[in-house]
Amino acid sequence: MKKTYLFAGSLSLLGMVAGANIATANEPPKFENLIAAEPQNLQVSEALPAPNTIADASSTITSVNQLLANEESMGQVTSVSQLSDVRPTDWAYQALASLVEKYGCIAGYPDGTFRGNRAATRYEMAAALNACLDVISDRFATKEDLATLQKLMDEFAAELATLRGRVDNLEARTAALEATQFSTTTKLTGTAVMSVQYGGRPSSPNLSVSPAGILTPASGRTNPTVIAGVILNLNTSFTGTDLLQTSLSTGNGGRDAISTYGLGLQTTSTLAQPPVGTTDIFSRPLPYFNPSQYYWSGFGPGVSLYRLAYSFKPTQDITITAGPQFYPSDIIDTNSWANSPASDFGTYFFINNPFIVPYAMNFLGGAGAAIQWNPNEGPFTVRALYLAAEAGRAASGIVPPSPGGGFGGDPFQASLELEYANTFGNGRNSYAVKLQGTYSKTYGIEAQAGGINFELNLGRLGIFGRAGVAGIPSTYFPGVSPLPFSAANFGLGAPGMMAYTFMAGIGYKDLLVPGSVLAAAAGAPFINSAPTFGGGIGNNATQVNVEAFYKFPISDNISITPIFTAIINPNNTNGGGVFSGQPILQGVIRTTFTF
C-alpha cells in the first residue's frame, strides 16, 4: 500500500478549505460557507499560516521533493484507533475511519497523532488525493478495463447465453429435486448380486443318516442354480459426523452346491432342531465348524432387516456404534483383499477368521455395541465389541436353554482388536497388522480364541492372510460338539481341545484393465487336536479350502467376477465308503451392481 503524507486537514479538505477560516476538529463547517466559497480560497496554505510542518519541519512543505524527504517521519496506520488525538466525537471521525480502514491511504505522525486542526499545503493535498485515487484504481476497473470486458462479452455472447441457460436449467432442476426429495438427511445406496453356480462332488452316495443319527456326506453333482441377493441401505446423517444405517435384504432363496452338503452339521437328537437328517445349514443351531458356503446363498425370498445401527463420534478420535442389528465383521477382522463378498472372495471362510468372527454370529448378526479409538487419526487403532445374536428372543425360546437367548445369553461374542497400519516407500506401499481376541458361546460351544490378520501391499501386488487358535473346553451343554459327526462324544466330562485355523493368499490389482483384481487363497477352517470321533469314521483328516477369483469391472458400478472354489477332505474326513474324502468343486459367475 502506498504511503500518503496526510493529516486531519488533508482529506477532510472539502469541509475544511471552504472560506478563509478552517473549522476546528470538533466543529463541522457551516453549509453556507461551503456554498459561498470561491475557487481561489481552496489555497489552504495561504488562508492560514501553518504553525507547524509535517514532522515538525521548520518551514511549510512546498514541493514534492520536500514531501518525499519526510517519508520516514510518518507511518502508515491501519486503524483510526492508532491516532491518539482522534476521538469518536470528532465531526470528521467517520470519514477519517473510512479513509484509514477501508482505503488505507492515511499516514500519521511518528508520535501517533494526526493533528487534524492544522493547515495542509496544496502539495500535501495532491499527494493524499493521488494516493487515494491509486487505491481506488487498484480495486476497481478503469475505463480501459471496462472496454476490454465489454469487447470480450460481445465476442462470446453466444457462449455466455448458453451458459446462462444451463445455469437457469440447473437451478430449476435443483429446486424441483429439493421439493420432491425423500429426505434432506438420507441417501439411498444399494448392492445387487446375480450369480450362476454349478458344482458338487465327482461321485458320492446320496445324503443319508446313520443309525446313530450322524449325517453322512451329501450327494454328487447338483444342477446349476441361479442365486440373487439385494441389500438396500438408507444412510442418514444428522450432524455430518454420524451415520444411521438402515439396511434391508432379500433375494430369490437360491442355494449353491456347497451349502447342500451340510458342512459342520452334527447329530441333532439332543438339540431338537434342525430335524435329524436335514442339510439345511440355515436352520438353527448353526455350527462352529465353518460351513464354507457361498455368501449370497439363502438370501430371501422374504425381506429381512439386514442392518440397523447408529455410529457417532463423541470426540475426534473415538467412534461408537450401537444398534439392534449389525455384524462383527462391520467392525473387526477387515482386510482389503478378503472382506467383501460383493467384490472379492465369495465363500464365508475367506471373508473372515472363523474363530474371531464365528459363523453363527456373522450369519445372524445381532444387537450390541462397539467402540473404535484411533488416537490423533494415526496408525494405531483399538476396537472392541459385544454382540448377542438372539437378543430379541426370550431364554425359553431358544436351544440350548443353559442359558440361551436374550442380550446376555448364547449365542454371543465379545472381541478386542489392536491394529497398526502404515505406509512406506513414499506412500506407494502399505501394511496392516491386527491382533485379535474373541470369547464366544454359539449354540452350546464355548471358545476362547486369538488371531492375527495381516496384509502387505507392494504397489499393485498384495500378500494377505489370517490365522487363529481357539481353546474349546468340554461343552456346558450335553451332546454338543464343535466337530461334525461327533456330537455324542463331546459333552460334559469330555476332554477339551485346541483348534487352529489359517488362510493365506496373494493378489494383483489392475491386471489387464484398471480396477480389476486377481487373487487366490488357501487355508484350513478347523485343524483340531481332538481324538477321532464317530467310531473312527470321522475327523481323520484336515479340510482344506482353495479359492480364486478375477474381478473384471464393466464400469464404476458394474463388475463380473468368475470364482472357483475347491473343498478338499470335507468335514475333516478322508476314508472309505461314504467318507471317501472326495472334494467339493464349485464354480460361480457373480455379477455385482452398486448404486
Side-chain angles (χ1 to χ4, degrees), residues 5-40:
Y5 310 96
L6 186 63
F7 38 80
S10 42
L11 275 196
S12 297
L13 58 95
L14 290 179
M16 296 169 57
V17 301
N21 297 318
I22 303 299
T24 65
N26 294 317
E27 180 183 356
K30 293 182 171 56
F31 182 77
E32 57 269 22
N33 291 339
L34 293 176
I35 300 299
E38 295 292 334
Q40 60 269 25

PDB file of all heavy atoms in Angstrom, residues 5-40:
ATOM      1  N   TYR A   5       1.086  11.268   2.751  1.00  0.00           N
ATOM      2  CA  TYR A   5       1.532  12.234   3.755  1.00  0.00           C
ATOM      3  C   TYR A   5       0.372  13.178   4.014  1.00  0.00           C
ATOM      4  O   TYR A   5       0.252  14.233   3.400  1.00  0.00           O
ATOM      5  CB  TYR A   5       2.778  12.962   3.236  1.00  0.00           C
ATOM      6  CG  TYR A   5       3.784  11.978   2.740  1.00  0.00           C
ATOM      7  CD1 TYR A   5       3.865  11.650   1.397  1.00  0.00           C
ATOM      8  CD2 TYR A   5       4.579  11.295   3.654  1.00  0.00           C
ATOM      9  CE1 TYR A   5       4.760  10.704   0.969  1.00  0.00           C
ATOM     10  CE2 TYR A   5       5.470  10.338   3.224  1.00  0.00           C
ATOM     11  CZ  TYR A   5       5.571  10.043   1.877  1.00  0.00           C
ATOM     12  OH  TYR A   5       6.445   9.096   1.442  1.00  0.00           O
ATOM     13  N   LEU A   6      -0.470  12.752   4.905  1.00  0.00           N
ATOM     14  CA  LEU A   6      -1.734  13.437   5.105  1.00  0.00           C
ATOM     15  C   LEU A   6      -2.063  13.475   6.577  1.00  0.00           C
ATOM     16  O   LEU A   6      -1.772  12.538   7.298  1.00  0.00           O
ATOM     17  CB  LEU A   6      -2.833  12.659   4.343  1.00  0.00           C
ATOM     18  CG  LEU A   6      -4.205  13.284   4.301  1.00  0.00           C
ATOM     19  CD1 LEU A   6      -4.159  14.606   3.561  1.00  0.00           C
ATOM     20  CD2 LEU A   6      -5.165  12.339   3.628  1.00  0.00           C
ATOM     21  N   PHE A   7      -2.674  14.540   7.003  1.00  0.00           N
ATOM     22  CA  PHE A   7      -3.140  14.672   8.374  1.00  0.00           C
ATOM     23  C   PHE A   7      -4.570  15.144   8.348  1.00  0.00           C
ATOM     24  O   PHE A   7      -5.217  15.104   7.304  1.00  0.00           O
ATOM     25  CB  PHE A   7      -2.232  15.626   9.174  1.00  0.00           C
ATOM     26  CG  PHE A   7      -1.760  16.788   8.375  1.00  0.00           C
ATOM     27  CD1 PHE A   7      -2.583  17.871   8.178  1.00  0.00           C
ATOM     28  CD2 PHE A   7      -0.512  16.764   7.763  1.00  0.00           C
ATOM     29  CE1 PHE A   7      -2.154  18.926   7.418  1.00  0.00           C
ATOM     30  CE2 PHE A   7      -0.102  17.826   7.005  1.00  0.00           C
ATOM     31  CZ  PHE A   7      -0.909  18.918   6.829  1.00  0.00           C
ATOM     32  N   ALA A   8      -5.068  15.641   9.498  1.00  0.00           N
ATOM     33  CA  ALA A   8      -6.508  15.855   9.639  1.00  0.00           C
ATOM     34  C   ALA A   8      -7.075  16.773   8.597  1.00  0.00           C
ATOM     35  O   ALA A   8      -8.188  16.582   8.146  1.00  0.00           O
ATOM     36  CB  ALA A   8      -6.812  16.422  11.026  1.00  0.00           C
ATOM     37  N   GLY A   9      -6.344  17.800   8.185  1.00  0.00           N
ATOM     38  CA  GLY A   9      -6.903  18.734   7.221  1.00  0.00           C
ATOM     39  C   GLY A   9      -6.859  18.228   5.812  1.00  0.00           C
ATOM     40  O   GLY A   9      -7.564  18.756   4.965  1.00  0.00           O
ATOM     41  N   SER A  10      -6.034  17.197   5.528  1.00  0.00           N
ATOM     42  CA  SER A  10      -5.753  16.859   4.155  1.00  0.00           C
ATOM     43  C   SER A  10      -6.926  16.300   3.382  1.00  0.00           C
ATOM     44  O   SER A  10      -7.234  16.829   2.323  1.00  0.00           O
ATOM     45  CB  SER A  10      -4.557  15.925   4.060  1.00  0.00           C
ATOM     46  OG  SER A  10      -4.603  14.963   5.036  1.00  0.00           O
ATOM     47  N   LEU A  11      -7.594  15.191   3.863  1.00  0.00           N
ATOM     48  CA  LEU A  11      -8.731  14.717   3.095  1.00  0.00           C
ATOM     49  C   LEU A  11     -10.043  14.978   3.790  1.00  0.00           C
ATOM     50  O   LEU A  11     -11.053  14.419   3.424  1.00  0.00           O
ATOM     51  CB  LEU A  11      -8.583  13.246   2.744  1.00  0.00           C
ATOM     52  CG  LEU A  11      -7.753  13.026   1.483  1.00  0.00           C
ATOM     53  CD1 LEU A  11      -7.951  11.619   0.968  1.00  0.00           C
ATOM     54  CD2 LEU A  11      -8.081  14.026   0.409  1.00  0.00           C
ATOM     55  N   SER A  12     -10.010  15.824   4.778  1.00  0.00           N
ATOM     56  CA  SER A  12     -11.258  16.423   5.201  1.00  0.00           C
ATOM     57  C   SER A  12     -11.354  17.743   4.439  1.00  0.00           C
ATOM     58  O   SER A  12     -12.006  18.684   4.871  1.00  0.00           O
ATOM     59  CB  SER A  12     -11.247  16.690   6.704  1.00  0.00           C
ATOM     60  OG  SER A  12     -11.135  15.476   7.398  1.00  0.00           O
ATOM     61  N   LEU A  13     -10.621  17.833   3.343  1.00  0.00           N
ATOM     62  CA  LEU A  13     -10.417  19.114   2.687  1.00  0.00           C
ATOM     63  C   LEU A  13     -11.707  19.747   2.199  1.00  0.00           C
ATOM     64  O   LEU A  13     -11.826  20.970   2.205  1.00  0.00           O
ATOM     65  CB  LEU A  13      -9.429  18.949   1.517  1.00  0.00           C
ATOM     66  CG  LEU A  13      -9.788  17.952   0.407  1.00  0.00           C
ATOM     67  CD1 LEU A  13     -10.467  18.691  -0.725  1.00  0.00           C
ATOM     68  CD2 LEU A  13      -8.539  17.256  -0.097  1.00  0.00           C
ATOM     69  N   LEU A  14     -12.683  18.970   1.754  1.00  0.00           N
ATOM     70  CA  LEU A  14     -13.892  19.588   1.253  1.00  0.00           C
ATOM     71  C   LEU A  14     -14.620  20.355   2.329  1.00  0.00           C
ATOM     72  O   LEU A  14     -15.353  21.297   2.051  1.00  0.00           O
ATOM     73  CB  LEU A  14     -14.816  18.529   0.654  1.00  0.00           C
ATOM     74  CG  LEU A  14     -14.325  17.902  -0.662  1.00  0.00           C
ATOM     75  CD1 LEU A  14     -15.307  16.857  -1.140  1.00  0.00           C
ATOM     76  CD2 LEU A  14     -14.118  18.978  -1.712  1.00  0.00           C
ATOM     77  N   GLY A  15     -14.406  19.942   3.569  1.00  0.00           N
ATOM     78  CA  GLY A  15     -15.067  20.646   4.651  1.00  0.00           C
ATOM     79  C   GLY A  15     -14.208  21.720   5.259  1.00  0.00           C
ATOM     80  O   GLY A  15     -14.710  22.655   5.876  1.00  0.00           O
ATOM     81  N   MET A  16     -12.906  21.594   5.109  1.00  0.00           N
ATOM     82  CA  MET A  16     -12.024  22.455   5.854  1.00  0.00           C
ATOM     83  C   MET A  16     -11.504  23.634   5.031  1.00  0.00           C
ATOM     84  O   MET A  16     -11.056  24.643   5.585  1.00  0.00           O
ATOM     85  CB  MET A  16     -10.823  21.647   6.384  1.00  0.00           C
ATOM     86  CG  MET A  16     -11.228  20.577   7.384  1.00  0.00           C
ATOM     87  SD  MET A  16      -9.882  19.465   7.755  1.00  0.00           S
ATOM     88  CE  MET A  16      -8.659  20.641   8.320  1.00  0.00           C
ATOM     89  N   VAL A  17     -11.505  23.498   3.725  1.00  0.00           N
ATOM     90  CA  VAL A  17     -10.904  24.550   2.906  1.00  0.00           C
ATOM     91  C   VAL A  17     -11.912  25.595   2.462  1.00  0.00           C
ATOM     92  O   VAL A  17     -11.548  26.573   1.827  1.00  0.00           O
ATOM     93  CB  VAL A  17     -10.240  23.930   1.659  1.00  0.00           C
ATOM     94  CG1 VAL A  17      -9.181  22.956   2.075  1.00  0.00           C
ATOM     95  CG2 VAL A  17     -11.277  23.272   0.767  1.00  0.00           C
ATOM     96  N   ALA A  18     -13.187  25.402   2.715  1.00  0.00           N
ATOM     97  CA  ALA A  18     -14.197  26.353   2.272  1.00  0.00           C
ATOM     98  C   ALA A  18     -14.079  27.637   3.084  1.00  0.00           C
ATOM     99  O   ALA A  18     -14.144  27.621   4.303  1.00  0.00           O
ATOM    100  CB  ALA A  18     -15.588  25.759   2.408  1.00  0.00           C
ATOM    101  N   GLY A  19     -13.927  28.742   2.398  1.00  0.00           N
ATOM    102  CA  GLY A  19     -13.832  30.040   3.064  1.00  0.00           C
ATOM    103  C   GLY A  19     -12.436  30.298   3.570  1.00  0.00           C
ATOM    104  O   GLY A  19     -11.518  29.524   3.370  1.00  0.00           O
ATOM    105  N   ALA A  20     -12.284  31.387   4.252  1.00  0.00           N
ATOM    106  CA  ALA A  20     -10.973  31.795   4.742  1.00  0.00           C
ATOM    107  C   ALA A  20     -10.675  31.200   6.093  1.00  0.00           C
ATOM    108  O   ALA A  20      -9.557  31.261   6.570  1.00  0.00           O
ATOM    109  CB  ALA A  20     -10.894  33.314   4.827  1.00  0.00           C
ATOM    110  N   ASN A  21     -11.677  30.636   6.757  1.00  0.00           N
ATOM    111  CA  ASN A  21     -11.477  30.069   8.083  1.00  0.00           C
ATOM    112  C   ASN A  21     -11.488  28.552   8.002  1.00  0.00           C
ATOM    113  O   ASN A  21     -12.250  27.961   7.255  1.00  0.00           O
ATOM    114  CB  ASN A  21     -12.581  30.528   9.043  1.00  0.00           C
ATOM    115  CG  ASN A  21     -12.542  32.028   9.239  1.00  0.00           C
ATOM    116  OD1 ASN A  21     -11.470  32.606   9.377  1.00  0.00           O
ATOM    117  ND2 ASN A  21     -13.718  32.656   9.225  1.00  0.00           N
ATOM    118  N   ILE A  22     -10.681  27.918   8.831  1.00  0.00           N
ATOM    119  CA  ILE A  22     -10.613  26.455   8.914  1.00  0.00           C
ATOM    120  C   ILE A  22     -11.383  26.023  10.155  1.00  0.00           C
ATOM    121  O   ILE A  22     -11.145  26.516  11.252  1.00  0.00           O
ATOM    122  CB  ILE A  22      -9.151  25.987   9.005  1.00  0.00           C
ATOM    123  CG1 ILE A  22      -8.355  26.517   7.807  1.00  0.00           C
ATOM    124  CG2 ILE A  22      -9.068  24.478   9.082  1.00  0.00           C
ATOM    125  CD1 ILE A  22      -8.879  26.018   6.481  1.00  0.00           C
ATOM    126  N   ALA A  23     -12.301  25.073   9.929  1.00  0.00           N
ATOM    127  CA  ALA A  23     -13.094  24.604  11.069  1.00  0.00           C
ATOM    128  C   ALA A  23     -12.210  23.868  12.036  1.00  0.00           C
ATOM    129  O   ALA A  23     -11.244  23.218  11.661  1.00  0.00           O
ATOM    130  CB  ALA A  23     -14.220  23.704  10.577  1.00  0.00           C
ATOM    131  N   THR A  24     -12.540  23.935  13.278  1.00  0.00           N
ATOM    132  CA  THR A  24     -11.795  23.188  14.279  1.00  0.00           C
ATOM    133  C   THR A  24     -12.158  21.722  14.202  1.00  0.00           C
ATOM    134  O   THR A  24     -13.131  21.332  13.565  1.00  0.00           O
ATOM    135  CB  THR A  24     -12.125  23.714  15.679  1.00  0.00           C
ATOM    136  OG1 THR A  24     -13.488  23.455  15.940  1.00  0.00           O
ATOM    137  CG2 THR A  24     -11.824  25.188  15.782  1.00  0.00           C
ATOM    138  N   ALA A  25     -11.367  20.900  14.907  1.00  0.00           N
ATOM    139  CA  ALA A  25     -11.583  19.453  14.830  1.00  0.00           C
ATOM    140  C   ALA A  25     -12.934  19.034  15.366  1.00  0.00           C
ATOM    141  O   ALA A  25     -13.486  18.028  14.968  1.00  0.00           O
ATOM    142  CB  ALA A  25     -10.478  18.738  15.605  1.00  0.00           C
ATOM    143  N   ASN A  26     -13.512  19.818  16.284  1.00  0.00           N
ATOM    144  CA  ASN A  26     -14.782  19.436  16.896  1.00  0.00           C
ATOM    145  C   ASN A  26     -15.970  20.183  16.314  1.00  0.00           C
ATOM    146  O   ASN A  26     -17.065  20.049  16.793  1.00  0.00           O
ATOM    147  CB  ASN A  26     -14.729  19.677  18.400  1.00  0.00           C
ATOM    148  CG  ASN A  26     -13.717  18.753  19.071  1.00  0.00           C
ATOM    149  OD1 ASN A  26     -13.672  17.589  18.739  1.00  0.00           O
ATOM    150  ND2 ASN A  26     -12.922  19.284  19.982  1.00  0.00           N
ATOM    151  N   GLU A  27     -15.742  21.016  15.304  1.00  0.00           N
ATOM    152  CA  GLU A  27     -16.835  21.829  14.771  1.00  0.00           C
ATOM    153  C   GLU A  27     -16.937  21.620  13.275  1.00  0.00           C
ATOM    154  O   GLU A  27     -16.008  21.935  12.530  1.00  0.00           O
ATOM    155  CB  GLU A  27     -16.580  23.294  15.044  1.00  0.00           C
ATOM    156  CG  GLU A  27     -17.698  24.201  14.517  1.00  0.00           C
ATOM    157  CD  GLU A  27     -17.381  25.659  14.745  1.00  0.00           C
ATOM    158  OE1 GLU A  27     -16.346  25.943  15.360  1.00  0.00           O
ATOM    159  OE2 GLU A  27     -18.150  26.505  14.286  1.00  0.00           O
ATOM    160  N   PRO A  28     -18.017  21.090  12.762  1.00  0.00           N
ATOM    161  CA  PRO A  28     -18.173  20.897  11.317  1.00  0.00           C
ATOM    162  C   PRO A  28     -18.320  22.226  10.604  1.00  0.00           C
ATOM    163  O   PRO A  28     -18.813  23.203  11.172  1.00  0.00           O
ATOM    164  CB  PRO A  28     -19.454  20.066  11.221  1.00  0.00           C
ATOM    165  CG  PRO A  28     -20.216  20.403  12.444  1.00  0.00           C
ATOM    166  CD  PRO A  28     -19.208  20.675  13.512  1.00  0.00           C
ATOM    167  N   PRO A  29     -17.889  22.333   9.355  1.00  0.00           N
ATOM    168  CA  PRO A  29     -18.024  23.576   8.594  1.00  0.00           C
ATOM    169  C   PRO A  29     -19.488  23.876   8.316  1.00  0.00           C
ATOM    170  O   PRO A  29     -20.292  22.950   8.138  1.00  0.00           O
ATOM    171  CB  PRO A  29     -17.244  23.277   7.315  1.00  0.00           C
ATOM    172  CG  PRO A  29     -17.305  21.800   7.164  1.00  0.00           C
ATOM    173  CD  PRO A  29     -17.293  21.255   8.556  1.00  0.00           C
ATOM    174  N   LYS A  30     -19.811  25.103   8.290  1.00  0.00           N
ATOM    175  CA  LYS A  30     -21.183  25.507   8.007  1.00  0.00           C
ATOM    176  C   LYS A  30     -21.480  25.341   6.529  1.00  0.00           C
ATOM    177  O   LYS A  30     -20.661  25.634   5.672  1.00  0.00           O
ATOM    178  CB  LYS A  30     -21.408  26.961   8.439  1.00  0.00           C
ATOM    179  CG  LYS A  30     -21.335  27.153   9.945  1.00  0.00           C
ATOM    180  CD  LYS A  30     -21.616  28.589  10.292  1.00  0.00           C
ATOM    181  CE  LYS A  30     -21.759  28.776  11.805  1.00  0.00           C
ATOM    182  NZ  LYS A  30     -20.607  28.319  12.569  1.00  0.00           N
ATOM    183  N   PHE A  31     -22.726  24.856   6.241  1.00  0.00           N
ATOM    184  CA  PHE A  31     -23.104  24.565   4.866  1.00  0.00           C
ATOM    185  C   PHE A  31     -23.033  25.809   3.989  1.00  0.00           C
ATOM    186  O   PHE A  31     -22.585  25.764   2.847  1.00  0.00           O
ATOM    187  CB  PHE A  31     -24.522  23.978   4.842  1.00  0.00           C
ATOM    188  CG  PHE A  31     -24.987  23.604   3.465  1.00  0.00           C
ATOM    189  CD1 PHE A  31     -24.536  22.447   2.861  1.00  0.00           C
ATOM    190  CD2 PHE A  31     -25.867  24.417   2.778  1.00  0.00           C
ATOM    191  CE1 PHE A  31     -24.962  22.114   1.596  1.00  0.00           C
ATOM    192  CE2 PHE A  31     -26.290  24.073   1.510  1.00  0.00           C
ATOM    193  CZ  PHE A  31     -25.850  22.918   0.920  1.00  0.00           C
ATOM    194  N   GLU A  32     -23.460  26.998   4.563  1.00  0.00           N
ATOM    195  CA  GLU A  32     -23.459  28.207   3.750  1.00  0.00           C
ATOM    196  C   GLU A  32     -22.050  28.642   3.390  1.00  0.00           C
ATOM    197  O   GLU A  32     -21.812  29.229   2.337  1.00  0.00           O
ATOM    198  CB  GLU A  32     -24.207  29.343   4.477  1.00  0.00           C
ATOM    199  CG  GLU A  32     -23.641  29.667   5.856  1.00  0.00           C
ATOM    200  CD  GLU A  32     -24.317  28.864   6.941  1.00  0.00           C
ATOM    201  OE1 GLU A  32     -24.895  27.808   6.617  1.00  0.00           O
ATOM    202  OE2 GLU A  32     -24.309  29.305   8.099  1.00  0.00           O
ATOM    203  N   ASN A  33     -21.107  28.363   4.257  1.00  0.00           N
ATOM    204  CA  ASN A  33     -19.731  28.709   3.933  1.00  0.00           C
ATOM    205  C   ASN A  33     -19.210  27.882   2.774  1.00  0.00           C
ATOM    206  O   ASN A  33     -18.403  28.343   1.966  1.00  0.00           O
ATOM    207  CB  ASN A  33     -18.820  28.511   5.148  1.00  0.00           C
ATOM    208  CG  ASN A  33     -19.105  29.535   6.238  1.00  0.00           C
ATOM    209  OD1 ASN A  33     -19.676  30.595   5.954  1.00  0.00           O
ATOM    210  ND2 ASN A  33     -18.716  29.230   7.470  1.00  0.00           N
ATOM    211  N   LEU A  34     -19.650  26.597   2.711  1.00  0.00           N
ATOM    212  CA  LEU A  34     -19.225  25.761   1.604  1.00  0.00           C
ATOM    213  C   LEU A  34     -19.789  26.280   0.285  1.00  0.00           C
ATOM    214  O   LEU A  34     -19.117  26.284  -0.738  1.00  0.00           O
ATOM    215  CB  LEU A  34     -19.698  24.317   1.816  1.00  0.00           C
ATOM    216  CG  LEU A  34     -19.055  23.548   2.982  1.00  0.00           C
ATOM    217  CD1 LEU A  34     -19.708  22.177   3.103  1.00  0.00           C
ATOM    218  CD2 LEU A  34     -17.562  23.419   2.785  1.00  0.00           C
ATOM    219  N   ILE A  35     -21.033  26.759   0.311  1.00  0.00           N
ATOM    220  CA  ILE A  35     -21.659  27.259  -0.912  1.00  0.00           C
ATOM    221  C   ILE A  35     -20.981  28.543  -1.375  1.00  0.00           C
ATOM    222  O   ILE A  35     -20.788  28.773  -2.569  1.00  0.00           O
ATOM    223  CB  ILE A  35     -23.165  27.500  -0.694  1.00  0.00           C
ATOM    224  CG1 ILE A  35     -23.843  26.177  -0.304  1.00  0.00           C
ATOM    225  CG2 ILE A  35     -23.818  28.102  -1.923  1.00  0.00           C
ATOM    226  CD1 ILE A  35     -23.729  25.122  -1.365  1.00  0.00           C
ATOM    227  N   ALA A  36     -20.614  29.401  -0.427  1.00  0.00           N
ATOM    228  CA  ALA A  36     -20.076  30.719  -0.778  1.00  0.00           C
ATOM    229  C   ALA A  36     -18.605  30.701  -1.105  1.00  0.00           C
ATOM    230  O   ALA A  36     -18.045  31.706  -1.502  1.00  0.00           O
ATOM    231  CB  ALA A  36     -20.315  31.691   0.392  1.00  0.00           C
ATOM    232  N   ALA A  37     -17.962  29.569  -0.936  1.00  0.00           N
ATOM    233  CA  ALA A  37     -16.512  29.543  -1.118  1.00  0.00           C
ATOM    234  C   ALA A  37     -16.138  29.805  -2.558  1.00  0.00           C
ATOM    235  O   ALA A  37     -16.769  29.297  -3.483  1.00  0.00           O
ATOM    236  CB  ALA A  37     -15.985  28.177  -0.686  1.00  0.00           C
ATOM    237  N   GLU A  38     -15.117  30.620  -2.758  1.00  0.00           N
ATOM    238  CA  GLU A  38     -14.586  30.908  -4.066  1.00  0.00           C
ATOM    239  C   GLU A  38     -13.492  29.903  -4.401  1.00  0.00           C
ATOM    240  O   GLU A  38     -12.788  29.414  -3.504  1.00  0.00           O
ATOM    241  CB  GLU A  38     -14.005  32.322  -4.109  1.00  0.00           C
ATOM    242  CG  GLU A  38     -15.050  33.403  -3.908  1.00  0.00           C
ATOM    243  CD  GLU A  38     -16.002  33.492  -5.069  1.00  0.00           C
ATOM    244  OE1 GLU A  38     -15.591  33.112  -6.186  1.00  0.00           O
ATOM    245  OE2 GLU A  38     -17.150  33.891  -4.882  1.00  0.00           O
ATOM    246  N   PRO A  39     -13.289  29.604  -5.662  1.00  0.00           N
ATOM    247  CA  PRO A  39     -12.277  28.634  -6.009  1.00  0.00           C
ATOM    248  C   PRO A  39     -10.897  28.995  -5.486  1.00  0.00           C
ATOM    249  O   PRO A  39     -10.159  28.120  -5.040  1.00  0.00           O
ATOM    250  CB  PRO A  39     -12.306  28.627  -7.538  1.00  0.00           C
ATOM    251  CG  PRO A  39     -13.680  29.059  -7.895  1.00  0.00           C
ATOM    252  CD  PRO A  39     -14.065  30.056  -6.841  1.00  0.00           C
ATOM    253  N   GLN A  40     -10.539  30.307  -5.542  1.00  0.00           N
ATOM    254  CA  GLN A  40      -9.209  30.662  -5.094  1.00  0.00           C
ATOM    255  C   GLN A  40      -9.008  30.427  -3.605  1.00  0.00           C
ATOM    256  O   GLN A  40      -7.880  30.336  -3.130  1.00  0.00           O
ATOM    257  CB  GLN A  40      -8.885  32.140  -5.417  1.00  0.00           C
ATOM    258  CG  GLN A  40      -9.816  33.139  -4.773  1.00  0.00           C
ATOM    259  CD  GLN A  40     -10.994  33.484  -5.668  1.00  0.00           C
ATOM    260  OE1 GLN A  40     -11.338  32.674  -6.516  1.00  0.00           O
ATOM    261  NE2 GLN A  40     -11.577  34.671  -5.521  1.00  0.00           N
TER     262      GLN A  40
END
